[in-house]
Amino acid sequence: MNTTIEHQPEKSRFVIAVDGEEAGRAEYFDRGSKRDFHHTVIDEKFRGNGLSSTLITAVLDESRQADKKVIPSCPAVSHFIDKHEEYQDLL
């Protein structure tokens, strides 16, 4: 299973693909120095493979590199940050 993550800033989203097929996305609004993640979804066909955690880790790491704080409006992102102390500084 070959997994890739692509940032599509023109669409305000990150897309995770498996073997070239879009498997899910994390959508956001940029609000100055903050990035509001409001929707994360993994296609039903791909659920149960840990792709949500892979995607959220990547979007948080990229947000940190871009010097953006995070607003976790999406429950999946909020839950992930609650469980992973290493991302608390992004709040």
Side-chain angles (χ1 to χ4, degrees), residues 39-58:
H39 183 65
T40 304
V41 64
I42 300 297
D43 186 282
E44 189 173 324
K45 171 180 170 180
F46 294 99
R47 291 184 188 157
N49 294 307
L51 296 178
S52 180
S53 291
T54 300
L55 177 59
I56 293 170
T57 297

Side-chain angles (χ1 to χ4, degrees), residues 2-3 8 20 23 31 33 38-43 45 50 54-55 58 65 79 85-86 91:
N2 182 27
T3 303
Q8 299 175 340
R31 301 182 188 281
S33 65
H38 63 90
H39 183 65
T40 304
V41 64
I42 300 297
D43 186 282
K45 171 180 170 180
T54 300
L55 177 59
Q65 287 181 324
H79 181 71
E85 287 183 23
E86 64 270 29
L91 299 176

Side-chain angles (χ1 to χ4, degrees), residues 62-74:
E62 195 283 336
S63 294
R64 180 178 279 133
Q65 287 181 324
D67 202 27
K68 298 270 188 185
K69 292 291 186 180
V70 171
I71 301 168
S73 296
C74 170

Side-chain angles (χ1 to χ4, degrees), residues 5-9 12-15 26 28-30 33-37 53-70 80 87 90:
I5 298 172
E6 178 186 3
H7 186 194
Q8 299 175 340
S12 299
R13 68 184 192 164
F14 291 82
V15 173
Y28 65 88
F29 299 114
D30 264 340
S33 65
K34 296 182 180 180
R35 188 170 280 165
D36 183 349
F37 286 97
S53 291
T54 300
L55 177 59
I56 293 170
T57 297
V59 304
L60 294 177
D61 288 345
E62 195 283 336
S63 294
R64 180 178 279 133
Q65 287 181 324
D67 202 27
K68 298 270 188 185
K69 292 291 186 180
V70 171
F80 185 89
Y87 292 106
L90 292 175

